[in-house]
Amino acid sequence: MSKLLTLMLLAGGLSAGVSYTQAQSQPNFAQVVALDECDPATVNTATGAGPDFCKNVALGASTTLQDLLAKAAAGTPDPKWDFEPDSLTIKQGQVISVVDQGGEPHTFTEVKQFGGGFIPGLNGPGESVVPECAGGFSALAVAKTRILQGSQLEVIGLSKGKHLFQCCIHPWMRIEVDVK
Ligand SMILES: [Cu+2]
């Protein structure tokens, strides 16, 4: 085993960042990354979510909860909460691997139409919760699409055509997947 490969494998056990490298070495995988810049001091305290909801994985991540809510309400949500890439074309049979490299949980939920999530304060003006996100994590269908920090979710078996995915918490995190 080469030194480089050993290093990669070691890092893979420690850092979600290496998933990208692993995905590249597996042509049947298409990688999506979920990102955010949550600020633990305000998010965990103000929401009562507890110390483990927002973990500050990005040095300098400092968007306060107040800023995040204000921007969402104004219809100009914080672009640092994001799925990358914004659109993806895959071949039928390819696996989408979504890794959460942000500081808080997200969901990767397929929806018929983009819309609001299950936390009204994070929705844009006039946006209401889409049916696929309704009920939040108490709904099994939503909970199954949750991705915790540093973990990943694989999506398999998509039919040919366009598929829309969004986060049910931060509904401006959106991606269009085109299956050829
Ligand atoms: Cu999210």
Side-chain angles (χ1 to χ4, degrees):
M1 185 179 295
S2 75
K3 252 186 187 166
L4 178 63
L5 183 58
T6 309
L7 265 178
M8 282 163 54
L9 289 172
L10 269 176
L14 301 172
S15 160
V18 172
S19 302
Y20 189 69
T21 307
Q22 290 169 342
Q24 281 187 321
S25 66
Q26 299 176 32
N28 204 36
F29 277 70
Q31 184 77 66
V32 174
V33 178
L35 299 169
D36 67 64
E37 294 271 308
C38 69
D39 166 46
T42 53
V43 171
N44 295 338
T45 314
T47 62
D52 287 333
F53 186 78
C54 168
K55 298 172 182 174
N56 196 356
V57 295
L59 290 173
S62 60
T63 301
T64 64
L65 180 66
Q66 291 79 0
D67 276 357
L68 192 67
L69 291 167
K71 285 179 185 168
T76 53
D78 194 315
K80 293 180 210 158
W81 271 249
D82 193 23
F83 288 128
E84 276 294 319
D86 297 325
S87 64
L88 184 66
T89 300
I90 62 170
K91 286 187 187 144
Q92 194 172 31
Q94 258 193 306
V95 178
I96 303 173
S97 173
V98 190
V99 62
D100 184 354
Q101 296 190 350
E104 54 184 310
H106 298 282
T107 81
F108 195 76
T109 309
E110 183 166 16
V111 296
K112 279 206 178 79
Q113 277 192 308
F114 288 133
F118 63 83
I119 299 178
L122 287 171
N123 291 341
E127 252 182 355
S128 54
V129 60
V130 294
E132 295 89 344
C133 292
F137 290 146
S138 60
L140 183 61
V142 181
K144 275 162 56 179
T145 65
R146 177 171 50 200
I147 323 168
L148 297 178
Q149 307 92 320
S151 68
Q152 60 188 58
L153 182 76
E154 285 172 2
V155 180
I156 53 174
L158 290 178
S159 59
K160 284 190 180 178
K162 280 187 180 167
H163 297 264
L164 306 178
F165 293 86
Q166 71 170 66
C167 176
C168 284
I169 303 172
H170 317 94
W172 64 93
M173 297 176 69
R174 297 174 176 180
I175 181 172
E176 182 180 310
V177 178
D178 203 2
V179 183
K180 297 284 185 192

